[in-house]
Amino acid sequence: MLNVTLQPNYGVVIFELDGQLSVQDFIHAAHKIDPYIDHAGGLKGGLVCVLGWPVWESFAAFSQHLAFIRNHHHHMAKVAIVSNSTSFKLFAPIYGTSLQCQIKCFAIDAIESGKDWILAD
């Protein structure tokens, strides 16, 4: 499941991954943030909170996740990944070369630090 919380006063969206991700999760996320992006022209950033590595319920869900990233990364200036997994620290520099946003990893107990980084100019 993907919980999506839009904080319009800050221009930040928080994605909390919990359990298996479905196609519907990413459709719901797009429906939630697209009107704000259309109105404001973009987001300051996204805060992704995930324990471990994501698990998708199907290949279609994985494909929908990639499509969501492809369609939304250029609308966010920064993405903070908050996780207890060291894998993200290894992959963030690779992702950063192909995405049009800055990516930085934070420890799972540093959610506020991730948000502060997104909001810093």
Side-chain angles (χ1 to χ4, degrees):
M1 173 184 275
L2 179 64
N3 297 311
V4 181
T5 305
L6 179 62
Q7 296 183 333
N9 293 345
Y10 297 106
V12 173
V13 62
I14 300 172
F15 301 100
E16 296 174 282
L17 287 72
D18 182 27
Q20 291 189 341
L21 300 170
S22 69
V23 169
Q24 195 59 36
D25 287 333
F26 298 102
I27 293 170
H28 169 73
H31 284 275
K32 192 151 193 177
I33 67 172
D34 285 352
Y36 179 86
I37 291 171
D38 290 343
H39 173 74
L43 291 155
K44 288 188 179 184
L47 184 68
V48 180
C49 303
V50 57
L51 294 173
W53 194 253
V55 177
W56 301 269
E57 69 179 21
S58 65
F59 183 74
F62 176 73
S63 296
Q64 190 70 31
H65 188 175
L66 295 178
F68 180 84
I69 293 169
R70 182 183 64 244
N71 294 333
H72 292 89
H73 72 92
H74 55 278
H75 296 293
M76 296 182 199
K78 298 177 181 178
V79 173
I81 300 173
V82 180
S83 178
N84 63 346
S85 173
T86 57
S87 300
F88 288 104
K89 290 181 183 177
L90 298 173
F91 289 108
I94 297 167
Y95 297 146
T97 61
S98 61
L99 301 178
Q100 294 179 351
C101 59
Q102 296 178 50
I103 300 174
K104 189 170 180 179
C105 296
F106 295 86
I108 196 68
D109 59 351
I111 293 172
E112 285 303 314
S113 296
K115 188 174 176 184
D116 290 344
W117 174 74
I118 290 171
L119 295 174
D121 288 331

PDB file of all heavy atoms in Angstrom, residues 22-54:
ATOM      1  N   SER A  22       0.567  -1.758  -5.385  1.00  0.00           N
ATOM      2  CA  SER A  22      -0.330  -2.201  -6.455  1.00  0.00           C
ATOM      3  C   SER A  22      -0.395  -1.152  -7.562  1.00  0.00           C
ATOM      4  O   SER A  22       0.028  -0.004  -7.384  1.00  0.00           O
ATOM      5  CB  SER A  22      -1.737  -2.434  -5.900  1.00  0.00           C
ATOM      6  OG  SER A  22      -2.332  -1.199  -5.536  1.00  0.00           O
ATOM      7  N   VAL A  23      -0.941  -1.534  -8.681  1.00  0.00           N
ATOM      8  CA  VAL A  23      -1.177  -0.590  -9.784  1.00  0.00           C
ATOM      9  C   VAL A  23      -2.040   0.555  -9.283  1.00  0.00           C
ATOM     10  O   VAL A  23      -1.763   1.731  -9.539  1.00  0.00           O
ATOM     11  CB  VAL A  23      -1.864  -1.308 -10.977  1.00  0.00           C
ATOM     12  CG1 VAL A  23      -2.352  -0.314 -12.002  1.00  0.00           C
ATOM     13  CG2 VAL A  23      -0.928  -2.334 -11.597  1.00  0.00           C
ATOM     14  N   GLN A  24      -3.075   0.234  -8.538  1.00  0.00           N
ATOM     15  CA  GLN A  24      -4.016   1.234  -8.041  1.00  0.00           C
ATOM     16  C   GLN A  24      -3.334   2.264  -7.133  1.00  0.00           C
ATOM     17  O   GLN A  24      -3.725   3.427  -7.108  1.00  0.00           O
ATOM     18  CB  GLN A  24      -5.181   0.562  -7.312  1.00  0.00           C
ATOM     19  CG  GLN A  24      -6.353   1.472  -7.075  1.00  0.00           C
ATOM     20  CD  GLN A  24      -6.943   2.039  -8.368  1.00  0.00           C
ATOM     21  OE1 GLN A  24      -6.995   1.374  -9.398  1.00  0.00           O
ATOM     22  NE2 GLN A  24      -7.378   3.282  -8.318  1.00  0.00           N
ATOM     23  N   ASP A  25      -2.308   1.849  -6.393  1.00  0.00           N
ATOM     24  CA  ASP A  25      -1.579   2.784  -5.532  1.00  0.00           C
ATOM     25  C   ASP A  25      -1.024   3.961  -6.332  1.00  0.00           C
ATOM     26  O   ASP A  25      -1.122   5.118  -5.916  1.00  0.00           O
ATOM     27  CB  ASP A  25      -0.419   2.086  -4.813  1.00  0.00           C
ATOM     28  CG  ASP A  25      -0.869   1.161  -3.707  1.00  0.00           C
ATOM     29  OD1 ASP A  25      -1.958   1.379  -3.126  1.00  0.00           O
ATOM     30  OD2 ASP A  25      -0.120   0.209  -3.413  1.00  0.00           O
ATOM     31  N   PHE A  26      -0.454   3.668  -7.482  1.00  0.00           N
ATOM     32  CA  PHE A  26       0.177   4.722  -8.281  1.00  0.00           C
ATOM     33  C   PHE A  26      -0.847   5.549  -9.051  1.00  0.00           C
ATOM     34  O   PHE A  26      -0.654   6.743  -9.274  1.00  0.00           O
ATOM     35  CB  PHE A  26       1.245   4.122  -9.186  1.00  0.00           C
ATOM     36  CG  PHE A  26       2.337   3.484  -8.384  1.00  0.00           C
ATOM     37  CD1 PHE A  26       2.383   2.112  -8.226  1.00  0.00           C
ATOM     38  CD2 PHE A  26       3.262   4.262  -7.716  1.00  0.00           C
ATOM     39  CE1 PHE A  26       3.360   1.522  -7.436  1.00  0.00           C
ATOM     40  CE2 PHE A  26       4.243   3.691  -6.928  1.00  0.00           C
ATOM     41  CZ  PHE A  26       4.290   2.319  -6.786  1.00  0.00           C
ATOM     42  N   ILE A  27      -1.952   4.925  -9.421  1.00  0.00           N
ATOM     43  CA  ILE A  27      -3.049   5.678 -10.038  1.00  0.00           C
ATOM     44  C   ILE A  27      -3.622   6.662  -9.015  1.00  0.00           C
ATOM     45  O   ILE A  27      -3.835   7.834  -9.320  1.00  0.00           O
ATOM     46  CB  ILE A  27      -4.126   4.715 -10.583  1.00  0.00           C
ATOM     47  CG1 ILE A  27      -3.565   3.912 -11.759  1.00  0.00           C
ATOM     48  CG2 ILE A  27      -5.387   5.481 -10.986  1.00  0.00           C
ATOM     49  CD1 ILE A  27      -4.445   2.765 -12.222  1.00  0.00           C
ATOM     50  N   HIS A  28      -3.825   6.183  -7.792  1.00  0.00           N
ATOM     51  CA  HIS A  28      -4.328   7.036  -6.710  1.00  0.00           C
ATOM     52  C   HIS A  28      -3.348   8.186  -6.422  1.00  0.00           C
ATOM     53  O   HIS A  28      -3.762   9.333  -6.250  1.00  0.00           O
ATOM     54  CB  HIS A  28      -4.550   6.203  -5.448  1.00  0.00           C
ATOM     55  CG  HIS A  28      -4.818   7.017  -4.226  1.00  0.00           C
ATOM     56  ND1 HIS A  28      -6.007   7.666  -4.002  1.00  0.00           N
ATOM     57  CD2 HIS A  28      -4.023   7.324  -3.173  1.00  0.00           C
ATOM     58  CE1 HIS A  28      -5.939   8.327  -2.856  1.00  0.00           C
ATOM     59  NE2 HIS A  28      -4.740   8.135  -2.334  1.00  0.00           N
ATOM     60  N   ALA A  29      -2.051   7.882  -6.377  1.00  0.00           N
ATOM     61  CA  ALA A  29      -1.041   8.909  -6.106  1.00  0.00           C
ATOM     62  C   ALA A  29      -1.082   9.996  -7.180  1.00  0.00           C
ATOM     63  O   ALA A  29      -1.044  11.198  -6.869  1.00  0.00           O
ATOM     64  CB  ALA A  29       0.349   8.282  -6.035  1.00  0.00           C
ATOM     65  N   ALA A  30      -1.170   9.595  -8.428  1.00  0.00           N
ATOM     66  CA  ALA A  30      -1.229  10.570  -9.521  1.00  0.00           C
ATOM     67  C   ALA A  30      -2.483  11.437  -9.416  1.00  0.00           C
ATOM     68  O   ALA A  30      -2.415  12.665  -9.582  1.00  0.00           O
ATOM     69  CB  ALA A  30      -1.182   9.853 -10.871  1.00  0.00           C
ATOM     70  N   HIS A  31      -3.619  10.835  -9.118  1.00  0.00           N
ATOM     71  CA  HIS A  31      -4.868  11.591  -8.988  1.00  0.00           C
ATOM     72  C   HIS A  31      -4.799  12.581  -7.822  1.00  0.00           C
ATOM     73  O   HIS A  31      -5.422  13.641  -7.865  1.00  0.00           O
ATOM     74  CB  HIS A  31      -6.064  10.651  -8.807  1.00  0.00           C
ATOM     75  CG  HIS A  31      -6.484   9.978 -10.063  1.00  0.00           C
ATOM     76  ND1 HIS A  31      -7.341  10.531 -10.977  1.00  0.00           N
ATOM     77  CD2 HIS A  31      -6.142   8.765 -10.573  1.00  0.00           C
ATOM     78  CE1 HIS A  31      -7.518   9.720 -11.995  1.00  0.00           C
ATOM     79  NE2 HIS A  31      -6.791   8.635 -11.768  1.00  0.00           N
ATOM     80  N   LYS A  32      -4.029  12.236  -6.813  1.00  0.00           N
ATOM     81  CA  LYS A  32      -3.921  13.102  -5.642  1.00  0.00           C
ATOM     82  C   LYS A  32      -2.998  14.295  -5.887  1.00  0.00           C
ATOM     83  O   LYS A  32      -3.287  15.404  -5.450  1.00  0.00           O
ATOM     84  CB  LYS A  32      -3.420  12.296  -4.440  1.00  0.00           C
ATOM     85  CG  LYS A  32      -3.560  13.037  -3.145  1.00  0.00           C
ATOM     86  CD  LYS A  32      -3.739  12.091  -2.000  1.00  0.00           C
ATOM     87  CE  LYS A  32      -4.185  12.847  -0.784  1.00  0.00           C
ATOM     88  NZ  LYS A  32      -4.435  11.988   0.338  1.00  0.00           N
ATOM     89  N   ILE A  33      -1.879  14.079  -6.589  1.00  0.00           N
ATOM     90  CA  ILE A  33      -0.910  15.175  -6.737  1.00  0.00           C
ATOM     91  C   ILE A  33      -0.993  15.920  -8.062  1.00  0.00           C
ATOM     92  O   ILE A  33      -0.567  17.068  -8.135  1.00  0.00           O
ATOM     93  CB  ILE A  33       0.532  14.695  -6.488  1.00  0.00           C
ATOM     94  CG1 ILE A  33       1.003  13.730  -7.568  1.00  0.00           C
ATOM     95  CG2 ILE A  33       0.674  14.100  -5.109  1.00  0.00           C
ATOM     96  CD1 ILE A  33       2.485  13.387  -7.473  1.00  0.00           C
ATOM     97  N   ASP A  34      -1.539  15.315  -9.097  1.00  0.00           N
ATOM     98  CA  ASP A  34      -1.583  15.981 -10.403  1.00  0.00           C
ATOM     99  C   ASP A  34      -2.342  17.311 -10.398  1.00  0.00           C
ATOM    100  O   ASP A  34      -1.875  18.277 -11.006  1.00  0.00           O
ATOM    101  CB  ASP A  34      -2.132  15.050 -11.481  1.00  0.00           C
ATOM    102  CG  ASP A  34      -1.125  13.992 -11.899  1.00  0.00           C
ATOM    103  OD1 ASP A  34       0.054  14.062 -11.463  1.00  0.00           O
ATOM    104  OD2 ASP A  34      -1.503  13.075 -12.653  1.00  0.00           O
ATOM    105  N   PRO A  35      -3.495  17.414  -9.723  1.00  0.00           N
ATOM    106  CA  PRO A  35      -4.172  18.719  -9.692  1.00  0.00           C
ATOM    107  C   PRO A  35      -3.306  19.807  -9.041  1.00  0.00           C
ATOM    108  O   PRO A  35      -3.298  20.953  -9.505  1.00  0.00           O
ATOM    109  CB  PRO A  35      -5.436  18.456  -8.865  1.00  0.00           C
ATOM    110  CG  PRO A  35      -5.701  17.000  -9.041  1.00  0.00           C
ATOM    111  CD  PRO A  35      -4.334  16.372  -9.112  1.00  0.00           C
ATOM    112  N   TYR A  36      -2.560  19.450  -7.994  1.00  0.00           N
ATOM    113  CA  TYR A  36      -1.679  20.433  -7.359  1.00  0.00           C
ATOM    114  C   TYR A  36      -0.558  20.835  -8.318  1.00  0.00           C
ATOM    115  O   TYR A  36      -0.247  22.022  -8.456  1.00  0.00           O
ATOM    116  CB  TYR A  36      -1.082  19.873  -6.060  1.00  0.00           C
ATOM    117  CG  TYR A  36      -0.147  20.862  -5.412  1.00  0.00           C
ATOM    118  CD1 TYR A  36      -0.636  21.841  -4.558  1.00  0.00           C
ATOM    119  CD2 TYR A  36       1.217  20.855  -5.683  1.00  0.00           C
ATOM    120  CE1 TYR A  36       0.202  22.779  -3.984  1.00  0.00           C
ATOM    121  CE2 TYR A  36       2.066  21.787  -5.117  1.00  0.00           C
ATOM    122  CZ  TYR A  36       1.557  22.740  -4.268  1.00  0.00           C
ATOM    123  OH  TYR A  36       2.403  23.685  -3.722  1.00  0.00           O
ATOM    124  N   ILE A  37       0.033  19.873  -8.994  1.00  0.00           N
ATOM    125  CA  ILE A  37       1.102  20.169  -9.959  1.00  0.00           C
ATOM    126  C   ILE A  37       0.577  21.068 -11.067  1.00  0.00           C
ATOM    127  O   ILE A  37       1.232  22.037 -11.455  1.00  0.00           O
ATOM    128  CB  ILE A  37       1.700  18.861 -10.523  1.00  0.00           C
ATOM    129  CG1 ILE A  37       2.482  18.128  -9.427  1.00  0.00           C
ATOM    130  CG2 ILE A  37       2.576  19.140 -11.730  1.00  0.00           C
ATOM    131  CD1 ILE A  37       2.925  16.729  -9.802  1.00  0.00           C
ATOM    132  N   ASP A  38      -0.617  20.772 -11.571  1.00  0.00           N
ATOM    133  CA  ASP A  38      -1.211  21.598 -12.625  1.00  0.00           C
ATOM    134  C   ASP A  38      -1.436  23.022 -12.145  1.00  0.00           C
ATOM    135  O   ASP A  38      -1.219  23.981 -12.894  1.00  0.00           O
ATOM    136  CB  ASP A  38      -2.539  20.996 -13.108  1.00  0.00           C
ATOM    137  CG  ASP A  38      -2.347  19.709 -13.883  1.00  0.00           C
ATOM    138  OD1 ASP A  38      -1.216  19.430 -14.339  1.00  0.00           O
ATOM    139  OD2 ASP A  38      -3.335  18.955 -14.013  1.00  0.00           O
ATOM    140  N   HIS A  39      -1.857  23.181 -10.901  1.00  0.00           N
ATOM    141  CA  HIS A  39      -2.149  24.500 -10.340  1.00  0.00           C
ATOM    142  C   HIS A  39      -0.873  25.269  -9.985  1.00  0.00           C
ATOM    143  O   HIS A  39      -0.732  26.441 -10.313  1.00  0.00           O
ATOM    144  CB  HIS A  39      -3.034  24.356  -9.104  1.00  0.00           C
ATOM    145  CG  HIS A  39      -3.262  25.630  -8.372  1.00  0.00           C
ATOM    146  ND1 HIS A  39      -4.092  26.622  -8.852  1.00  0.00           N
ATOM    147  CD2 HIS A  39      -2.756  26.103  -7.210  1.00  0.00           C
ATOM    148  CE1 HIS A  39      -4.080  27.643  -8.010  1.00  0.00           C
ATOM    149  NE2 HIS A  39      -3.281  27.345  -7.001  1.00  0.00           N
ATOM    150  N   ALA A  40       0.068  24.597  -9.320  1.00  0.00           N
ATOM    151  CA  ALA A  40       1.267  25.274  -8.795  1.00  0.00           C
ATOM    152  C   ALA A  40       2.464  25.199  -9.740  1.00  0.00           C
ATOM    153  O   ALA A  40       3.444  25.901  -9.535  1.00  0.00           O
ATOM    154  CB  ALA A  40       1.647  24.672  -7.438  1.00  0.00           C
ATOM    155  N   GLY A  41       2.392  24.348 -10.732  1.00  0.00           N
ATOM    156  CA  GLY A  41       3.506  24.208 -11.651  1.00  0.00           C
ATOM    157  C   GLY A  41       4.551  23.191 -11.218  1.00  0.00           C
ATOM    158  O   GLY A  41       5.503  22.944 -11.937  1.00  0.00           O
ATOM    159  N   GLY A  42       4.393  22.624 -10.044  1.00  0.00           N
ATOM    160  CA  GLY A  42       5.329  21.610  -9.572  1.00  0.00           C
ATOM    161  C   GLY A  42       5.334  21.536  -8.058  1.00  0.00           C
ATOM    162  O   GLY A  42       4.592  22.238  -7.378  1.00  0.00           O
ATOM    163  N   LEU A  43       6.195  20.691  -7.558  1.00  0.00           N
ATOM    164  CA  LEU A  43       6.357  20.484  -6.122  1.00  0.00           C
ATOM    165  C   LEU A  43       7.786  20.819  -5.723  1.00  0.00           C
ATOM    166  O   LEU A  43       8.706  20.652  -6.515  1.00  0.00           O
ATOM    167  CB  LEU A  43       6.098  19.012  -5.766  1.00  0.00           C
ATOM    168  CG  LEU A  43       4.669  18.523  -5.894  1.00  0.00           C
ATOM    169  CD1 LEU A  43       4.639  17.018  -6.116  1.00  0.00           C
ATOM    170  CD2 LEU A  43       3.901  18.881  -4.639  1.00  0.00           C
ATOM    171  N   LYS A  44       7.974  21.278  -4.501  1.00  0.00           N
ATOM    172  CA  LYS A  44       9.336  21.451  -4.000  1.00  0.00           C
ATOM    173  C   LYS A  44       9.998  20.090  -3.864  1.00  0.00           C
ATOM    174  O   LYS A  44      11.196  19.959  -4.058  1.00  0.00           O
ATOM    175  CB  LYS A  44       9.345  22.180  -2.663  1.00  0.00           C
ATOM    176  CG  LYS A  44       9.013  23.643  -2.808  1.00  0.00           C
ATOM    177  CD  LYS A  44       9.215  24.374  -1.516  1.00  0.00           C
ATOM    178  CE  LYS A  44       8.892  25.839  -1.758  1.00  0.00           C
ATOM    179  NZ  LYS A  44       9.155  26.650  -0.582  1.00  0.00           N
ATOM    180  N   GLY A  45       9.199  19.091  -3.497  1.00  0.00           N
ATOM    181  CA  GLY A  45       9.792  17.771  -3.406  1.00  0.00           C
ATOM    182  C   GLY A  45       8.867  16.707  -2.891  1.00  0.00           C
ATOM    183  O   GLY A  45       7.731  16.955  -2.515  1.00  0.00           O
ATOM    184  N   GLY A  46       9.417  15.511  -2.891  1.00  0.00           N
ATOM    185  CA  GLY A  46       8.722  14.347  -2.376  1.00  0.00           C
ATOM    186  C   GLY A  46       9.547  13.700  -1.283  1.00  0.00           C
ATOM    187  O   GLY A  46      10.775  13.637  -1.383  1.00  0.00           O
ATOM    188  N   LEU A  47       8.888  13.260  -0.259  1.00  0.00           N
ATOM    189  CA  LEU A  47       9.514  12.573   0.862  1.00  0.00           C
ATOM    190  C   LEU A  47       9.030  11.129   0.811  1.00  0.00           C
ATOM    191  O   LEU A  47       7.828  10.867   0.975  1.00  0.00           O
ATOM    192  CB  LEU A  47       9.120  13.242   2.177  1.00  0.00           C
ATOM    193  CG  LEU A  47       9.743  12.740   3.452  1.00  0.00           C
ATOM    194  CD1 LEU A  47      11.231  13.059   3.490  1.00  0.00           C
ATOM    195  CD2 LEU A  47       9.061  13.382   4.649  1.00  0.00           C
ATOM    196  N   VAL A  48       9.927  10.194   0.532  1.00  0.00           N
ATOM    197  CA  VAL A  48       9.574   8.783   0.394  1.00  0.00           C
ATOM    198  C   VAL A  48      10.026   8.053   1.653  1.00  0.00           C
ATOM    199  O   VAL A  48      11.220   7.994   1.945  1.00  0.00           O
ATOM    200  CB  VAL A  48      10.255   8.160  -0.848  1.00  0.00           C
ATOM    201  CG1 VAL A  48       9.882   6.688  -0.974  1.00  0.00           C
ATOM    202  CG2 VAL A  48       9.897   8.935  -2.106  1.00  0.00           C
ATOM    203  N   CYS A  49       9.070   7.523   2.403  1.00  0.00           N
ATOM    204  CA  CYS A  49       9.358   6.789   3.638  1.00  0.00           C
ATOM    205  C   CYS A  49       9.118   5.305   3.381  1.00  0.00           C
ATOM    206  O   CYS A  49       8.000   4.902   3.052  1.00  0.00           O
ATOM    207  CB  CYS A  49       8.454   7.259   4.771  1.00  0.00           C
ATOM    208  SG  CYS A  49       8.562   9.022   5.111  1.00  0.00           S
ATOM    209  N   VAL A  50      10.188   4.515   3.531  1.00  0.00           N
ATOM    210  CA  VAL A  50      10.067   3.099   3.226  1.00  0.00           C
ATOM    211  C   VAL A  50      10.980   2.285   4.138  1.00  0.00           C
ATOM    212  O   VAL A  50      12.139   2.627   4.333  1.00  0.00           O
ATOM    213  CB  VAL A  50      10.383   2.819   1.732  1.00  0.00           C
ATOM    214  CG1 VAL A  50      11.756   3.312   1.351  1.00  0.00           C
ATOM    215  CG2 VAL A  50      10.218   1.366   1.381  1.00  0.00           C
ATOM    216  N   LEU A  51      10.429   1.239   4.708  1.00  0.00           N
ATOM    217  CA  LEU A  51      11.227   0.285   5.469  1.00  0.00           C
ATOM    218  C   LEU A  51      11.659  -0.809   4.498  1.00  0.00           C
ATOM    219  O   LEU A  51      10.820  -1.399   3.830  1.00  0.00           O
ATOM    220  CB  LEU A  51      10.423  -0.328   6.615  1.00  0.00           C
ATOM    221  CG  LEU A  51      10.001   0.622   7.725  1.00  0.00           C
ATOM    222  CD1 LEU A  51       9.074  -0.080   8.706  1.00  0.00           C
ATOM    223  CD2 LEU A  51      11.222   1.172   8.450  1.00  0.00           C
ATOM    224  N   GLY A  52      12.936  -1.056   4.398  1.00  0.00           N
ATOM    225  CA  GLY A  52      13.405  -2.096   3.493  1.00  0.00           C
ATOM    226  C   GLY A  52      13.244  -1.692   2.037  1.00  0.00           C
ATOM    227  O   GLY A  52      13.158  -0.524   1.698  1.00  0.00           O
ATOM    228  N   TRP A  53      13.189  -2.672   1.188  1.00  0.00           N
ATOM    229  CA  TRP A  53      13.065  -2.454  -0.248  1.00  0.00           C
ATOM    230  C   TRP A  53      11.609  -2.653  -0.652  1.00  0.00           C
ATOM    231  O   TRP A  53      10.940  -3.534  -0.123  1.00  0.00           O
ATOM    232  CB  TRP A  53      13.973  -3.440  -0.991  1.00  0.00           C
ATOM    233  CG  TRP A  53      14.192  -3.100  -2.424  1.00  0.00           C
ATOM    234  CD1 TRP A  53      13.658  -3.743  -3.488  1.00  0.00           C
ATOM    235  CD2 TRP A  53      14.974  -2.031  -2.949  1.00  0.00           C
ATOM    236  NE1 TRP A  53      14.062  -3.142  -4.657  1.00  0.00           N
ATOM    237  CE2 TRP A  53      14.876  -2.083  -4.349  1.00  0.00           C
ATOM    238  CE3 TRP A  53      15.747  -1.017  -2.373  1.00  0.00           C
ATOM    239  CZ2 TRP A  53      15.520  -1.179  -5.195  1.00  0.00           C
ATOM    240  CZ3 TRP A  53      16.390  -0.119  -3.222  1.00  0.00           C
ATOM    241  CH2 TRP A  53      16.268  -0.207  -4.602  1.00  0.00           C
ATOM    242  N   PRO A  54      11.082  -1.853  -1.592  1.00  0.00           N
ATOM    243  CA  PRO A  54       9.675  -2.009  -1.995  1.00  0.00           C
ATOM    244  C   PRO A  54       9.381  -3.396  -2.556  1.00  0.00           C
ATOM    245  O   PRO A  54      10.244  -4.032  -3.152  1.00  0.00           O
ATOM    246  CB  PRO A  54       9.487  -0.950  -3.085  1.00  0.00           C
ATOM    247  CG  PRO A  54      10.645  -0.046  -3.000  1.00  0.00           C
ATOM    248  CD  PRO A  54      11.759  -0.797  -2.329  1.00  0.00           C
TER     249      PRO A  54
END
